[in-house]
Amino acid sequence: MGNFCLDNMNKSAYIPQVNWKKNLLVIWLSQFLAMVGFGCCMPFIPLLLKENLHIDSENLRGLYVSIYYLAGMVSLCVATTVWGILADRFGRKIMLLRASYAAALFYPLLALAPNFWVLATIRFVCSFFSGTVNPAQTLLIATTPAEKHGFVLGVLSTATSSGNMLGYLAGGLIVHYWGYTEAFFSCGAVYLLSALLVQFFARDDFNVQLAKKQRQKSPHKFKDIATPTIIWIFLLFLMMGVSNRLVQPYMAMLVEVVHGFDEAAFYTGIASAAASLGGFFAGLLIGWLCDRIAPGKLLVPILLTGSAFTLAMAYSQNVQMLIVSRFLAALATGGIQPVLQLMMTRLTDPQLRGTFFGWSGSVNTAGGILCSFIGGGIAWFSGVRGIYTASAIILALMLPALLPVLSSMRKTPVSSFPDTNQTH
């Protein structure tokens, strides 16, 4: 995708006047804060079920954790596609604001749930209206030159990792010294700060009327845009979603199995922060490599090492080994999503970036729906170590699934869609 020439500007749904470097800084800071808020509460749901709702059985708690995350995944799967399509119609910034303000409102309510089913219901509603990562990525890609897409996606992923790292540490300390209610309300307050930052400083020069005229002039049919290459990439998004989301709810339980319940919240925060640190370095590295090496080639070593270190987590004999393995696994796998998204941006129309990012987010979330069923069954029959073993196997299975993608991309020319991002 080359630079969009000035005589074709009237054909675009965008009139970009955005300094992409400043926008990257603002959106990075907003996502850093959002992930700090997220990290303050979400890793501790299994412990909250035991402490506040008095669900003591490991197997039953594993099942309830799966149901809880299933409620969020089903809601998010539907919502991500809806919000992605609306982003291409009404703009990307408003979608990021919607997600940020909704998270600030709904996350604190989780701490007030009197029983598990109310907790799951609040999670369902929260997931439908929140979810900042996809709209942030879409807004950033829409206002950045094509040759910098790999860089900005990698850098933005460091906001997720570093924000989570600080959030996990802060959340562990807040829970340890004050309690779960304070942690969840802290989450809402930080999300509010993130929303205000986007409200006043982020830019999106999307023109609604021009976008409408462009859609009427050049309608897009599903069969024309969902090419075989895109379908294969979506399959990898699905498998990535299964592998990543399979283990996310169970870190606290794995810490409890390896170390014991005493100080489990504290060490869960440390282990989760180690993962975020690994993801931070992975984002920097991938952001640098993606604009220099064909992204498909990067996935092979990523998947091999990610599978190996995830397996090491499953068989950790002490909490120190678990923390180190968690860091290395995150370092290895932290680049999967940016690489897949970069592959997708190079094969899709810029006017439909919100739609494609919404679809990829929904497919990824659909993997979370599948693993909610898988995780509950594995937790019930083989315990929490079996969940991490299954995640390692799925990462390994992504390797043969990648081969048709690489073959298809070699036969498919890089997108000839013009790049509409004219920044300064």
Side-chain angles (χ1 to χ4, degrees):
M1 294 186 289
N3 289 329
F4 191 44
C5 52
L6 294 177
D7 58 354
N8 285 330
M9 282 288 286
N10 62 333
K11 297 180 181 179
S12 174
Y14 316 93
I15 312 176
Q17 300 292 331
V18 177
N19 185 318
W20 69 270
K21 296 178 182 178
K22 291 182 179 179
N23 229 33
L24 172 60
L25 176 61
V26 171
I27 296 171
W28 190 96
L29 288 173
S30 76
Q31 286 308 287
F32 173 80
L33 290 172
M35 294 302 104
V36 169
F38 186 85
C40 276
C41 62
M42 294 309 290
F44 309 105
I45 290 296
L47 303 179
L48 180 143
L49 291 177
K50 183 170 185 175
E51 282 287 299
N52 285 17
L53 301 182
H54 310 295
I55 301 169
D56 296 320
S57 168
E58 178 187 344
N59 289 347
L60 183 59
R61 255 196 307 150
L63 183 60
Y64 275 171
V65 167
S66 293
I67 295 173
Y68 171 85
Y69 279 89
L70 176 62
M73 292 301 101
V74 170
S75 178
L76 188 61
C77 183
V78 176
T80 304
T81 293
V82 172
W83 299 128
I85 294 172
L86 291 177
D88 287 332
R89 293 177 178 269
F90 301 107
R92 284 68 190 265
K93 178 178 175 178
I94 192 173
M95 293 296 111
L96 182 53
L97 287 172
R98 176 265 312 159
S100 301
Y101 282 123
L105 173 65
F106 287 113
Y107 274 121
L109 297 181
L110 291 168
L112 306 179
N115 58 60
F116 170 75
W117 299 109
V118 172
L119 185 78
T121 301
I122 296 172
R123 177 58 174 160
F124 181 91
V125 176
C126 181
S127 291
F128 189 88
F129 290 99
S130 63
T132 63
V133 175
N134 266 65
Q137 292 169 335
T138 306
L139 175 57
L140 197 56
I141 285 294
T143 55
T144 301
E147 66 271 14
K148 298 296 183 180
H149 283 174
F151 171 75
V152 297
L153 285 173
V155 169
L156 186 61
S157 73
T158 67
T160 301
S161 302
S162 56
N164 275 334
M165 178 173 58
L166 180 58
Y168 294 150
L169 289 172
L173 291 173
I174 293 171
V175 169
H176 185 73
Y177 288 106
W178 289 284
Y180 296 99
T181 300
E182 288 79 2
F184 279 74
F185 273 81
S186 298
C187 167
V190 178
Y191 263 108
L192 180 59
L193 290 176
S194 171
L196 293 173
L197 187 64
V198 173
Q199 179 87 59
F200 292 107
F201 298 104
R203 295 288 306 277
D204 180 16
D205 290 330
F206 183 88
N207 188 304
V208 176
Q209 295 301 321
L210 209 54
K212 183 178 180 180
K213 292 179 181 179
Q214 184 65 25
R215 289 195 306 273
Q216 293 173 343
K217 182 178 179 181
S218 303
H220 296 88
K221 296 181 179 179
F222 180 81
K223 66 178 182 179
D224 297 327
I225 59 179
T227 64
T229 309
I230 293 297
I231 297 298
W232 279 113
I233 292 175
F234 282 168
L235 175 62
L236 287 172
F237 270 111
L238 178 68
M239 298 180 73
M240 178 189 71
V242 173
S243 177
N244 288 347
R245 296 180 187 273
L246 183 62
V247 301
Q248 283 178 359
Y250 296 99
M251 175 53 63
M253 293 182 66
L254 184 60
V255 170
E256 187 179 345
V257 168
V258 172
H259 182 72
F261 186 76
D262 289 343
E263 299 181 315
F266 176 76
Y267 281 113
T268 297
I270 296 295
S272 299
S276 298
L277 184 62
F280 177 84
F281 287 118
L284 292 176
L285 183 61
I286 290 298
W288 183 76
L289 290 174
C290 272
D291 291 325
R292 292 166 174 79
I293 301 175
K297 295 180 180 179
L298 293 175
L299 282 178
V300 175
I302 285 174
L303 294 173
L304 282 172
T305 53
S307 177
F309 290 128
T310 302
L311 195 63
M313 291 169 57
Y315 292 96
S316 296
Q317 298 303 306
N318 53 63
V319 73
Q320 291 81 13
M321 179 180 177
L322 175 60
I323 291 170
V324 172
S325 299
R326 188 72 185 98
F327 168 81
L328 294 173
L331 179 64
T333 61
I336 296 178
Q337 186 172 4
V339 168
L340 290 177
Q341 287 170 326
L342 180 59
M343 293 165 70
M344 189 170 60
T345 60
R346 292 181 176 178
L347 296 164
T348 56
D349 189 338
Q351 298 175 37
L352 294 175
R353 289 278 162 73
T355 299
F356 277 105
F357 272 63
W359 283 351
S360 68
S362 289
V363 171
N364 190 354
T365 306
I369 294 174
L370 291 176
C371 76
S372 293
F373 294 105
I374 297 171
I378 296 173
W380 184 265
F381 289 106
S382 63
V384 70
R385 291 187 187 272
I387 293 172
Y388 284 80
T389 301
S391 177
I393 292 172
I394 294 168
L395 283 173
L397 291 176
M398 287 180 69
L399 285 166
L402 176 63
L403 297 179
V405 179
L406 298 178
S407 176
S408 180
M409 289 192 72
R410 282 194 294 267
K411 299 175 183 177
T412 304
V414 175
S415 175
S416 58
F417 295 118
D419 180 18
T420 60
N421 299 324
Q422 292 299 309
T423 58
H424 60 278

